[in-house]
Amino acid sequence: MMFLYNALYTGALALLLPFEYFKRPGPLRKRWLSDRCGSGDSGGWKSKDAPVVWLHAVSVGEVISAVPLVKKILQELTPNVVVSTVTDTGQAVARQKFQNSVRLIYVPFDLPHTVRRAVECIRPDIFIAMETELWPGVFHTMHAYNTPVVVLNGRISSRSYKGYRHIRFFMKDVLSMVSLFGMQNEVYAKRIIDIGADESRVKVVGNLKYDIESPTVVPAWAEQLPVPMIVAGSTHEGEEEIVLAAFKRLREQFAGVVLVLAPRHPQRFDEAERLIKRAGLRCLRRSMFRGVLPQLDVILLDSVGELAALYGAGQVAVMGGSFAPKGGHNLLEPASWGVPIVCGPHMDNFPMTGEFIQQGAAISVTADSLCDTLGMLLADNSLRQRMGTVARELYTRNSGALARCVKEIAQVLAAG
């Protein structure tokens, strides 16, 4: 079965490689291709007397979840940490968060020779895959080198679960290469077992996203932003129109309200700006802020890494990825600030959303009811305070996954 997987992967790679290569800026191409082909130095960056931990986080969300974990590993277990990502935005956030404390690479293509080359360079003592990163080639190669593979903060969405069940005969072989599955909750634990994981290797360790190192200070430039302010974070294609339409109606009732709009992907910043102007709203890009705030309606957050801190300046948070079928984004970031949360119907990637709604920390709406709900919240300060208090309590109550994950990593390293 791995032969077929490798053949299909190679075929897809041959088609996509030119596009993936040339879409990146010139200075980045050589490094990207070198990393993805598994090339690297001889390991002169390592401390010889300590184990090497290789942690893979595909993109921004997984990188942010991994930040406190990586810092704990550096503090308590080893100075030798490699962090790999797939996306450029994941690289940018990892570089910002970790500075020079880790070795940062793009993950190699999931083929035997590229992964083998990377393993020979890095010589990891453990490979940690974050969340849903189930890489057959990587897992098989690590197993061949007797390198334990651990999945942490594991989750299996409903969509992935249905797909994996159709290829359970293949997934059972892939999952047999994993030493430990540290899943976020019982639902995900049952799903990973059902698609082939050995039950004795599955543990519920909690959700690392509850242990995100949340900002405690609003960005200095945002301190002069007017109130009331709504922060719509990590929006996808089609969602900006929904938010802007609701916001235009809302301004009829709340003339001074300001919207911060933060598209999920940087390549959509220009498109979002065109949509804002087409809606007849005054727009300021974050990158154009020069210390004096002009009259405006919408701030376009065209920066990477500031959204989590900016939630603290808002009165209401609207979760992107939840009005389009994208599975939602991290409602724990506004919850850590005690900000009430509004989300659409598609929050599948964050099962804790149900608890937030039931406990009164979040409200689920449709595109049509978004404006009315925002108006209700802006008009009722006591309701916002109650929702925000519950959101912060839920965030605090569900912490602790970090300590459990570090303990599991330490045990795997000790056993090796």
Side-chain angles (χ1 to χ4, degrees), residues 50-93:
V52 176
V53 173
W54 180 352
L55 182 144
H56 178 59
V58 62
S59 190
V60 174
E62 292 83 5
V63 169
I64 292 174
S65 296
V67 167
L69 177 61
V70 170
K71 291 185 175 181
K72 277 289 186 182
I73 292 171
L74 290 168
Q75 291 169 3
E76 299 181 10
L77 301 180
T78 177
N80 298 329
V81 177
V82 176
V83 174
S84 61
T85 75
V86 171
T87 68
D88 298 336
T89 51
Q91 287 274 310
V93 171

Side-chain angles (χ1 to χ4, degrees), residues 4 34 44 50 127 184 226 315 383:
L4 178 59
S34 176
F127 179 85
Q184 293 180 13
Q315 278 63 58
L383 174 60

Side-chain angles (χ1 to χ4, degrees), residues 109-125:
F109 296 124
D110 198 35
L111 293 169
H113 59 285
T114 55
V115 178
R116 195 161 50 239
R117 193 178 297 126
V119 171
E120 289 289 343
C121 291
I122 296 170
R123 295 288 180 178
D125 293 280

Side-chain angles (χ1 to χ4, degrees), residues 4-5 7 16-17 43 47 101 105 111 113 125 151 181 212 221 244 281 302 322 354 361 366 375 380 388:
L4 178 59
Y5 171 81
L16 296 174
L17 184 58
S47 172
S101 61
I105 64 170
L111 293 169
H113 59 285
D125 293 280
V151 173
F181 297 89
I212 287 173
W221 68 271
L244 290 170
L281 298 167
D302 60 344
S322 66
T366 64
D380 193 335

Side-chain angles (χ1 to χ4, degrees), residues 4-21:
L4 178 59
Y5 171 81
N6 291 335
L8 292 172
Y9 189 100
T10 301
L13 180 61
L15 292 173
L16 296 174
L17 184 58
F19 170 76
E20 291 292 330
Y21 181 78

Side-chain angles (χ1 to χ4, degrees), residues 279-291:
L281 298 167
R282 296 167 296 180
C283 175
L284 173 69
R285 293 179 73 131
R286 159 71 179 97
S287 60
M288 300 302 294
F289 182 78
R290 297 293 181 267

